[in-house]
Amino acid sequence: MISPEKLDFLESLLCTPSPTGYESAGQQVWLDYVKGFADRTLTDAYGSAAAFLDVDPDAITVMLEAHADEIGMVVQHIDDKGFVYISRIGGSDPAIARARKVSVHAAKGVVRGLIGSTAIHLQDRTDTKAPGWKDLFVDIGATSREEALEMVQIGDPITYVDEPEFFSDELLVARAIDNRIGGYIVASALEKLAAMRDQLKVNVVVVNAVQEEIGGFGARMMSYRLNPDVALVTDVTHATDSPGINPKEHGMVKLGEGPAITHGTANQRKVVELLVEAAAEAGISVQHEASSIRTGTDTDSIFHNRSGIPSALVSTPLRYMHSPSEMVHLADVQGVSDLMVAFVQRLKARHSFRLF
């Protein structure tokens, strides 16, 4: 079970809107927490944040990385009647947007809105095409463009109005678990490592990076700047155990069955082998995924920096990704954090990941 203090931290992360390009409020929540046990912290020009355990200046540095941003929407256009037309930020799905309440994060404060949905009685029953973003609008209660512009501006970010909810002691449903749960995981790992720093042989830096959802740019900037010797990335992965998903195409990852270790592409073989060994020694149940072209995570932005950073991805199974109601099992969350800690504990001061 998660302690009350950590639960407060997790809920604060989930409740603080942080769409891509507008992550600062969530990053401040994360920094305020890790400052309690990190030796030092830093941020960069675009808002990525890092926290350090400085153990030995002559030892290698391991980076534990997650991304801070969430998908969302943005104000694209306001018509003469005051209706707000929107575009997506990241991989938002227009098919599930209608009739949902949203928050427009304007300069003067949050403006509530509702994505319009024409009553079924008035719809053209012959038109079965799913709506695109150009078809969707937000009703903020304005009666003219001028009135709307007093409330919101072109370019203001938008998020869904959804609060975290526990379906049981272990099942959490919330907006933005992708990948606020990763920020929670790396912070929790750092906190545990700080408590055992006398046993560590390597330096540790944890990074909560911005702009993953549009290309992994925050991770690219931070990994180039920090130049770690090895990196573990955590993100969410698709739990494929719900109806309608073909495991022959997407693999089999089950909710509640433990972290998923990815094999192939950006995942360096020696790092993956050490992860598997660490899991076995610590008694952590893991699942396995294959990456045939790219991982679709910040791992792809990190591993090729400078002369190459040996990297691997360990993921939290997630149902209903990129929706306003994502579902995660807390045992998987704890398993990812524990696996990161176990991996760091196995590292030697001059650990080498050369393949031959």
Side-chain angles (χ1 to χ4, degrees):
M1 288 294 294
I2 297 177
S3 68
E5 296 78 16
K6 284 192 174 182
L7 186 59
D8 287 345
F9 169 53
L10 174 56
E11 290 183 339
S12 293
L13 281 177
L14 290 169
C15 289
T16 305
S18 299
T20 305
Y22 304 88
E23 301 95 341
S24 296
Q27 290 292 67
Q28 191 61 60
V29 171
W30 190 84
L31 279 168
D32 287 346
Y33 188 80
V34 298
K35 283 178 179 178
F37 41 83
D39 292 333
R40 56 191 173 96
T41 62
L42 67 79
T43 59
D44 69 11
Y46 276 83
S48 291
F52 299 80
L53 290 181
D54 299 315
V55 173
D56 180 353
D58 296 321
I60 67 168
T61 295
V62 55
M63 180 173 74
L64 310 179
E65 194 270 355
H67 75 83
D69 58 318
E70 64 180 291
I71 61 171
M73 295 147 285
V74 64
V75 176
Q76 179 78 13
H77 171 71
I78 301 170
D79 72 9
D80 292 341
K81 295 181 180 179
F83 292 108
V84 176
Y85 286 80
I86 57 180
S87 186
R88 68 188 177 107
I89 295 177
S92 300
D93 183 358
I96 58 176
R98 280 178 171 168
R100 302 204 71 99
K101 291 182 289 185
V102 297
S103 294
V104 184
H105 303 281
K108 297 178 181 179
V110 172
V111 175
R112 293 293 197 207
L114 176 66
I115 298 179
S117 180
T118 302
I120 192 169
H121 318 69
L122 306 179
Q123 291 179 20
D124 179 357
R125 304 294 182 86
T126 64
D127 184 6
T128 59
K129 185 176 65 175
W133 286 111
K134 64 180 177 57
D135 304 310
L136 298 176
F137 62 88
V138 177
D139 188 338
I140 59 171
T143 58
S144 67
R145 175 178 170 83
E146 291 72 26
E147 183 183 355
L149 283 169
E150 292 177 0
M151 303 165 67
V152 303
Q153 293 292 325
I154 304 301
D156 284 343
I158 304 170
T159 55
Y160 291 114
V161 178
D162 282 277
E163 299 300 317
E165 181 178 353
F166 281 93
F167 279 17
S168 69
D169 289 342
E170 294 290 347
L171 289 178
L172 172 63
V173 174
R175 184 204 87 251
I177 292 177
D178 176 14
N179 185 34
R180 215 76 89 244
I181 206 67
Y184 169 82
I185 285 168
V186 295
S188 296
L190 186 71
E191 185 173 15
K192 190 169 183 179
L193 290 166
M196 59 175 67
R197 65 181 300 146
D198 291 344
Q199 304 170 34
L200 302 181
K201 301 179 180 65
V202 298
N203 304 297
V204 183
V205 56
V206 299
V207 172
N208 210 23
V210 300
Q211 298 198 20
E212 187 272 348
E213 296 291 355
I214 60 168
F217 299 116
R220 189 175 305 173
M221 288 182 262
M222 267 295 196
S223 57
Y224 187 91
R225 177 178 186 170
L226 299 173
N227 195 25
D229 299 281
V230 59
L232 284 189
V233 178
T234 188
D235 206 328
V236 294
T237 189
H238 299 284
T240 58
D241 55 351
S242 58
I245 302 173
N246 184 358
K248 294 178 182 178
E249 182 179 1
H250 301 291
M252 176 52 72
V253 173
K254 296 181 179 180
L255 202 71
E257 295 293 319
I261 296 174
T262 302
H263 302 256
T265 62
N267 299 274
Q268 205 261 10
R269 183 163 54 85
K270 290 291 186 181
V271 182
V272 173
E273 288 174 359
L274 191 63
L275 262 178
V276 172
E277 292 170 7
E281 186 175 282
I284 300 169
S285 296
V286 296
Q287 305 179 77
H288 298 275
E289 289 191 285
S291 174
S292 60
I293 299 175
R294 59 190 303 272
T295 70
T297 72
D298 276 342
T299 319
D300 301 325
S301 295
I302 293 170
F303 82 98
H304 58 77
N305 263 292
R306 294 183 182 253
S307 59
I309 300 170
S311 303
L313 171 65
V314 54
S315 303
T316 305
L318 183 73
R319 286 182 183 161
Y320 322 123
M321 191 186 299
H322 282 203
S323 82
S325 301
E326 300 172 331
M327 178 183 286
V328 73
H329 196 291
L330 293 184
D332 296 333
V333 175
Q334 188 62 52
V336 176
S337 182
D338 289 345
L339 181 52
M340 286 188 147
V341 170
F343 178 89
V344 173
Q345 287 179 294
R346 291 179 67 86
L347 293 175
K348 304 178 182 68
R350 301 307 304 168
H351 208 109
S352 172
F353 291 94
R354 294 185 66 87
L355 295 174
F356 48 85

